[in-house]
């Protein structure tokens, strides 16, 4: 996401360039003001917005919609902070990613 935010091209790595195209919409949204955690660097903000977009995308599949409607499926969004070795789960009610922590109940 850092490469995407900086507009870097990766001609020596076409597969990475192809994969990064899926983050372009997230980049656009962040730059237009949709931010979950303004304290994060831009590339992490883009990454978090991308998690939410992927959650929406998977809901577009009919077999997923059917299971969601029957309450046989729940979709969770996790964001990994690789630098800090932390995993966060998106909590819709709080509109934020919350650290998954052994100390946290439930």
């Amino acid at each position: 996401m850092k490469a995407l935010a900086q507009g870097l091209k990766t001609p020596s790595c076409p597969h990475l360039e192809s994969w990064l195209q899926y983050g372009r919409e997230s980049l656009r949204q962040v730059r237009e003001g949709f931010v979950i955690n303004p304290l994060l660097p831009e590339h992490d903000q883009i990454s978090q917005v991308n998690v939410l977009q992927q959650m929406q995308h998977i809901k577009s599949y009919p077999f997923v919609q059917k299971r969601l409607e029957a309450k046989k499926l729940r979709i969770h969004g996790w964001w990994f902070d690789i630098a800090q070795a932390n995993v966060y789960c998106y909590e819709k009610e709080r509109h934020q990613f919350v650290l998954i922590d052994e100390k946290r109940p439930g």
Side-chain angles (χ1 to χ4, degrees), residues 46-69:
I46 295 165
S47 182
Q48 286 190 346
V49 170
N50 190 260
V51 169
L52 299 184
Q53 287 180 311
Q54 296 310 313
M55 290 171 67
Q56 286 303 115
H57 179 72
I58 200 162
K59 290 178 185 178
S60 71
Y61 290 95
F63 68 93
V64 172
Q65 288 176 357
K66 187 175 180 179
R67 285 169 180 79
L68 286 170
E69 290 167 5

Side-chain angles (χ1 to χ4, degrees), residues 5-52:
Q6 294 174 352
L8 300 177
K9 297 292 180 189
T10 54
S12 62
C13 193
H15 298 294
L16 177 59
E17 186 73 30
S18 176
W19 179 77
L20 284 175
Q21 75 174 325
Y22 298 108
R24 293 195 200 297
E25 177 61 18
S26 303
L27 172 65
R28 183 191 66 74
Q29 286 189 22
V30 167
R31 293 207 170 150
E32 289 180 0
F34 179 61
V35 174
I36 299 163
N37 184 345
L39 301 176
L40 292 175
E42 184 182 50
H43 63 273
D44 285 338
Q45 293 175 29
I46 295 165
S47 182
Q48 286 190 346
V49 170
N50 190 260
V51 169
L52 299 184

